[in-house]
Amino acid sequence: MSSAGPSAAFSAGRTARRTFEFGRTYVVRPKGKHQATIVWLHGLGDNGNSWSSLLETLPLPNIKWICPTAPQQPITLFGGFPSTAWFDVNDLSENAIDDIEGLDASAAYVASLLANEPADIKLGVGGFSMGAATSLYSATCFVRGKYENGNQFSANLSAVVGLSGWLPCAKTLTNKLEGINEAAGRAASLPILLCHGRGMNLTDDSFSRQQTFNFWR
């Protein structure tokens, strides 16, 4: 397992109001032939190291795992207390306001981590909880071909995984996909695995109840 130092300040758009300083990135090198690279995103308050340690133990020798650390930022739900987070959270209800700027910045950072992978390698993104939400948001950017701010989404995703997460901007997604001729083809080409367990302990049967389905059908 290798790690990279803290990233430079990063934002998804040229007119972004906030600067996002992403933390240390941990990389789990494939033990066999490199066939796929997956950016794996941790949950709220966590970091890339905890997941890289777990992913290194999986019997998946052909996958390279990239485990970045989210920026430290004030969380509205916590009264402004800072935490590592891919975007701000203001409410836990379905009426929560999506932090589009934070989501765009994190999805763009995911794309930048995949940008230098070999052309013949399959690319994926996945995560847990808030990381799962960010990975699903990245999937919508891939299908639309752009971020919410209008900038082009460049990563060619082959798979998306979400553990105990949710889909940001779900209420407006259908309208945003209308009129994009390429969206249906990109959606049909993208396998998505969603898992929701009964507990938080990864050593038990937490993720036994799972479904694999095409999110867009």
Side-chain angles (χ1 to χ4, degrees):
M1 179 175 67
S2 62
S3 64
S7 72
F10 185 91
S11 85
R14 291 169 294 187
T15 60
R17 295 164 295 171
R18 289 149 59 194
T19 298
F20 300 88
E21 188 77 24
F22 290 84
R24 187 175 294 274
T25 295
Y26 299 82
V27 179
V28 179
R29 303 289 178 183
K31 299 176 178 63
K33 181 181 179 181
H34 184 194
Q35 296 180 326
T37 296
I38 298 177
V39 174
W40 189 266
L41 307 175
H42 61 76
L44 178 64
D46 204 352
N47 59 69
N49 182 47
S50 62
W51 276 97
S52 66
S53 299
L54 185 150
L55 294 169
E56 194 168 27
T57 67
L58 298 183
L60 299 170
N62 301 322
I63 296 178
K64 172 185 175 181
W65 301 93
I66 301 176
C67 303
T69 300
Q72 281 273 351
Q73 56 183 304
I75 303 300
T76 301
L77 185 66
F78 298 162
F81 189 83
S83 179
T84 50
W86 302 108
F87 52 88
D88 188 21
V89 179
N90 63 84
D91 193 358
L92 296 180
S93 74
E94 294 183 359
N95 297 319
I97 300 173
D98 292 301
D99 175 19
I100 299 298
E101 190 176 9
L103 285 161
D104 273 352
S106 290
Y109 191 63
V110 168
S112 74
L113 292 172
L114 293 170
N116 296 321
E117 292 301 295
D120 60 339
I121 297 300
K122 293 183 178 180
L123 306 178
V125 58
F128 174 75
S129 188
M130 176 180 273
T134 306
S135 69
L136 293 175
Y137 182 78
S138 297
T140 67
C141 294
F142 166 74
V143 169
R144 297 178 65 202
K146 60 183 179 181
Y147 304 96
E148 185 67 20
N149 62 23
N151 291 349
Q152 182 180 3
F153 184 82
S154 57
N156 185 22
L157 298 180
S158 297
V160 178
V161 180
L163 306 182
S164 299
W166 69 96
L167 175 63
C169 309
K171 293 182 179 179
T172 60
L173 180 58
T174 299
N175 291 336
K176 291 175 182 176
L177 291 175
E178 291 179 357
I180 303 178
N181 296 330
E182 302 86 357
R186 284 194 289 259
S189 72
L190 184 61
I192 296 180
L193 171 66
L194 295 183
C195 304
H196 291 276
R198 296 170 297 202
M200 297 295 288
N201 186 351
L202 292 177
T203 62
D204 62 18
D205 197 34
S206 298
F207 297 104
S208 62
R209 299 189 308 176
Q210 47 185 262
Q211 293 185 38
T212 303
F213 57 90
N214 189 318
F215 206 173
W216 312 102
R217 290 183 178 176

